[in-house]
Amino acid sequence: MKEEFQNNGMYLEQNPEAPENGDLKNFDDDGRPKRTGTVITASAHIITAVIGSGVLSLAWAIAQLGWVAGPAVLMAFSCITFFTSTMLADSYRSPGPIIGRRNYTYMDVVRSHLGGYKVQLCGIAQYGNLIGVTVGYTITASISMVAVKRSNCFHRNGHHVKCHISNNPFMIIFAAIQIFLSQIPNFHKLSWLSILAAVMSFAYSSIGLGLSIAKVAGDGVAKTTLTGVTVGVDVSGTEKVWRSFQAIGDIAFAYAYSTVLIEIQDTLKSHPPESKVMKRASGVGVSTTTLFYVLCGCIGYAAFGNNAPGNFLTGFGFYEPFWLIDFANVCIAIHLIGAYQVFAQPIFGFVENRCSSKWPENKFINTEHAVNVPLYGTYYINLFRLVWRTVYVILTAVLAMIFPFFNDFLGLIGAGSFYPLTVYFPIEMHIAQAKIPKYSVRWIWLKVLSWACLVVSLVAAAGSIQGLSQDVKTYKPFKTQQ
């Protein structure tokens, strides 16, 4: 038997209960259902969002920069990301970080502290990046799924066989899974999936690291240099410059999780203060990912040298043991299934909140249907949520099929979002919240950091545009993309 109710509020999780019933213990002070997030769940969200399958391409990035610049760039962006994330965490409440009004999304935070046209710029940067990431994850997950079949093909027929397999059927499988998972109402219900995805990221990163160590132990350290790939031997001078730009961009954007930081923080319990818990979670998340990044990047470079592949699991830097390669790629696919939801949920919430506020009386948008599910309990189905989220997942899958090189386009999207979301807005909101005097030493130092990161973003964007142009020139629409 179905029960219907109307939800006219802005809360993403449309709950039939209301604080008016006298049971206030299940609600926060703003009337929304009580949050249950902890350091563990927030850290899992961060690790799921940050590590990504890109960790396995860091050997290539280190190969372009060399032993000196590569690890230095990794550590620099680790420190910058953690520093700006602490400022962003303090901006969650306004006017003060401990006592103040909650801001539920990144745009709400910018609106409270800065206002004006900057709110729209934030929205364009954030949601443009989130859409691009979900399309890119569809492509990357399908490549990992294909890699399982190719690994078995190589094992049966030899490493010389091409073993071409279409990515499209696996994109459809990935989309079907996401249609189901997209019915998870909001970020607050996503903890179990993020924890699973974080475990998977540790698993395949550890496998890649272990295989690299085994290769170094068996074959010795490959040809490496202090400055990376050698001009005139491995690449031309022009290629060296462009590849270095791309490598810097890959490392910078590998750390960017600011697009979903506020949404993650909004899942935390109100006590202890969300900002303090979020800073601890950021410390755990960033330090953990940095450890894996340095190990996988540096040991991977030692294993493959200047010829390091773009991804040594899906790109077949290793062929054997084939079953371990299969398991690692399955872990990548499972991780990306969870990561897709981490980046998609803010998009879902933004659209649903806007529609709910614009058409508060529309039953299709606001009515929830309570259905009793065996072994689960009561599940609330919203028809608008069901239709809109399904359409979104299908569209991202179609885009991934049409533009299989779109994953490389993510570097350009990241260049357009890294600077404003990870650096500019956190610094500007910190200056406004802390009321730092203009032209003071602290103000000048923060501005120098902001401008330096802008230069890095522009450099990375230039490298991404050059790489994208090469993709377009060599793209063959009927050839399987690996």
Side-chain angles (χ1 to χ4, degrees):
M1 182 176 181
K2 296 182 179 180
E3 302 170 2
E4 295 185 358
F5 65 91
Q6 285 294 114
N7 172 49
N8 296 327
M10 289 289 291
Y11 185 54
L12 180 57
E13 182 186 33
Q14 294 153 323
N15 194 311
E17 299 182 23
E20 287 82 2
N21 62 9
D23 184 14
L24 298 175
K25 65 180 181 180
N26 294 323
F27 295 87
D28 280 326
D29 54 4
D30 58 355
R32 300 186 177 211
K34 189 174 290 293
R35 296 160 293 160
T36 58
T38 63
V39 171
I40 294 175
T41 60
S43 299
H45 286 317
I46 292 171
I47 292 170
T48 300
V50 177
I51 284 187
S53 60
V55 64
L56 302 177
S57 67
L58 289 176
W60 178 87
I62 299 295
Q64 311 314 307
L65 299 172
W67 286 117
V68 177
V73 170
L74 270 172
M75 296 307 299
F77 281 105
S78 171
C79 294
I80 291 171
T81 301
F82 176 70
F83 177 65
T84 57
S85 69
T86 59
M87 292 189 290
L88 186 56
D90 280 338
S91 302
Y92 172 70
R93 287 184 180 268
S94 58
I98 306 298
I99 300 176
R101 183 174 61 85
R102 285 169 56 195
N103 296 290
Y104 309 110
T105 67
Y106 203 130
M107 287 183 68
D108 289 341
V109 172
V110 175
R111 184 180 292 108
S112 295
H113 293 281
L114 301 177
Y117 70 93
K118 293 180 180 179
V119 179
Q120 284 69 42
L121 290 179
C122 171
I124 293 171
Q126 181 185 15
Y127 294 107
N129 175 263
L130 293 173
I131 292 170
V133 169
T134 55
V135 175
Y137 278 2
T138 303
I139 298 168
T140 308
S142 69
I143 291 175
S144 295
M145 295 176 185
V146 165
V148 174
K149 295 198 69 173
R150 295 186 70 207
S151 174
N152 294 335
C153 175
F154 289 135
H155 179 71
R156 289 193 306 268
N157 304 313
H159 302 168
H160 63 283
V161 180
K162 292 184 178 180
C163 294
H164 285 309
I165 300 170
S166 174
N167 292 350
N168 290 351
F170 296 94
M171 291 185 187
I172 294 173
I173 293 173
F174 182 81
I177 296 172
Q178 293 303 336
I179 288 174
F180 174 75
L181 292 177
S182 291
Q183 299 314 308
I184 296 174
N186 54 58
F187 237 123
H188 300 255
K189 306 295 185 181
L190 209 61
S191 299
W192 67 271
L193 186 59
S194 283
I195 291 173
L196 175 63
V199 171
M200 293 297 102
S201 66
F202 287 135
Y204 69 72
S205 298
S206 299
I207 291 171
L209 179 61
L211 290 173
S212 296
I213 294 173
K215 185 174 177 63
V216 171
D219 302 336
V221 176
K223 177 189 175 184
T224 62
T225 63
L226 293 178
T227 57
V229 291
T230 305
V231 175
V233 178
D234 302 306
V235 293
S236 66
T238 303
E239 288 176 329
K240 171 72 172 179
V241 173
W242 289 123
R243 286 190 176 192
S244 296
F245 287 173
Q246 291 174 348
I248 292 172
D250 287 348
I251 294 172
F253 309 134
Y255 277 106
Y257 66 98
S258 297
T259 48
V260 292
L261 185 146
I262 295 298
E263 284 77 5
I264 293 173
Q265 189 167 348
D266 192 47
T267 67
L268 297 174
K269 298 176 182 178
S270 57
H271 183 78
E274 303 95 342
S275 60
K276 292 184 178 180
V277 177
M278 194 64 199
K279 289 176 184 178
R280 288 175 58 195
S282 294
V284 172
V286 173
S287 60
T288 302
T289 53
T290 299
L291 176 63
F292 272 89
Y293 281 5
V294 171
L295 290 175
C296 289
C298 293
I299 297 179
Y301 181 40
F304 294 100
N306 292 342
N307 294 319
N311 186 316
F312 52 67
L313 286 179
T314 62
F316 290 95
F318 305 102
Y319 290 92
E320 301 292 343
F322 79 98
W323 58 268
L324 189 59
I325 305 298
D326 288 353
F327 177 72
N329 280 297
V330 169
C331 290
I332 293 174
I334 294 174
H335 170 250
L336 292 178
I337 287 171
Y340 183 102
Q341 285 299 312
V342 169
F343 285 93
Q345 284 292 338
I347 303 172
F348 297 154
F350 174 75
V351 172
E352 289 158 18
N353 284 342
R354 292 294 295 269
C355 290
S356 179
S357 61
K358 189 170 184 179
W359 298 288
E361 303 301 325
N362 188 295
K363 292 185 177 180
F364 176 73
I365 294 175
N366 295 290
T367 301
E368 295 275 343
H369 304 272
V371 179
N372 290 323
V373 180
L375 303 178
Y376 176 81
T378 303
Y379 178 77
Y380 296 97
I381 297 177
N382 177 282
L383 295 180
F384 174 68
R385 183 170 66 226
L386 176 65
V387 173
W388 133 248
R389 295 189 182 194
T390 300
V391 169
Y392 177 84
V393 172
I394 292 173
L395 287 176
T396 57
V398 170
L399 283 173
M401 293 178 191
I402 296 174
F403 304 109
F405 57 82
F406 193 82
N407 196 41
D408 296 321
F409 190 61
L410 285 181
L412 183 58
I413 295 177
S417 61
F418 169 78
Y419 172 69
L421 297 176
T422 303
V423 180
Y424 175 76
F425 284 124
I427 287 178
E428 291 299 312
M429 289 189 293
H430 176 70
I431 290 174
Q433 187 181 53
K435 295 180 173 59
I436 299 175
K438 197 172 184 179
Y439 302 118
S440 64
V441 174
R442 189 178 178 188
W443 184 92
I444 293 173
W445 185 86
L446 290 172
K447 288 292 185 178
V448 168
L449 175 62
S450 179
W451 281 101
C453 290
L454 173 60
V455 172
V456 170
S457 288
L458 293 175
V459 164
S464 298
I465 292 172
Q466 192 275 341
L468 183 62
S469 67
Q470 295 298 318
D471 289 334
V472 173
K473 289 178 183 177
T474 59
Y475 175 56
K476 296 180 181 180
F478 300 106
K479 182 179 178 180
T480 300
Q481 299 296 311
Q482 300 296 346

